[in-house]
Amino acid sequence: MNDMDIKTQFEQAVADSKNLSQKPSNDVLLQLYSLYKQATEGDINTEPPSNMFDFVGKAKYDAWASLKGKSGEAAMTEYINLVQSLKAGA
């Protein structure tokens, strides 16, 4: 699979993720978010939220930080596979 194929598939998966028949659980949404950020921006490049009561922000930060070192292509592939499993109702 060359780079163009993976990018095209990734863009399609991003579009598909917005049109799922059922809203994914918060854990799955967090996984989608972190894989998307890793695929599009690489390793985390922001500071953790300073408000200790910003639980959503902290969860997003931690999820993205946990992917540090994963290549953009690997993150795209995981994102595509996750969206495909969601579309299949897994």
Side-chain angles (χ1 to χ4, degrees), residues 41-80:
E41 296 185 36
D43 287 344
I44 194 156
N45 55 11
T46 60
E47 293 297 314
S50 56
N51 179 346
M52 64 186 213
F53 296 107
D54 182 3
F55 300 115
V56 172
K58 179 158 178 23
K60 287 175 146 184
Y61 178 88
D62 290 346
W64 186 9
S66 74
L67 298 178
K68 191 169 190 169
K70 184 180 293 282
S71 75
E73 190 171 301
M76 283 184 192
T77 301
E78 283 184 43
Y79 187 98
I80 292 162

Side-chain angles (χ1 to χ4, degrees), residues 6-59:
I6 191 85
K7 285 191 175 118
T8 304
Q9 288 181 27
F10 177 71
E11 288 165 9
Q12 183 60 52
V14 170
D16 290 348
S17 74
K18 295 177 174 131
N19 297 311
L20 295 169
S21 56
Q22 284 186 300
K23 184 179 180 210
S25 70
N26 287 342
D27 285 345
V28 173
L29 289 171
L30 207 51
Q31 206 176 352
L32 287 169
Y33 167 82
S34 60
L35 287 168
Y36 178 84
K37 294 295 272 185
Q38 189 71 19
T40 58
E41 296 185 36
D43 287 344
I44 194 156
N45 55 11
T46 60
E47 293 297 314
S50 56
N51 179 346
M52 64 186 213
F53 296 107
D54 182 3
F55 300 115
V56 172
K58 179 158 178 23

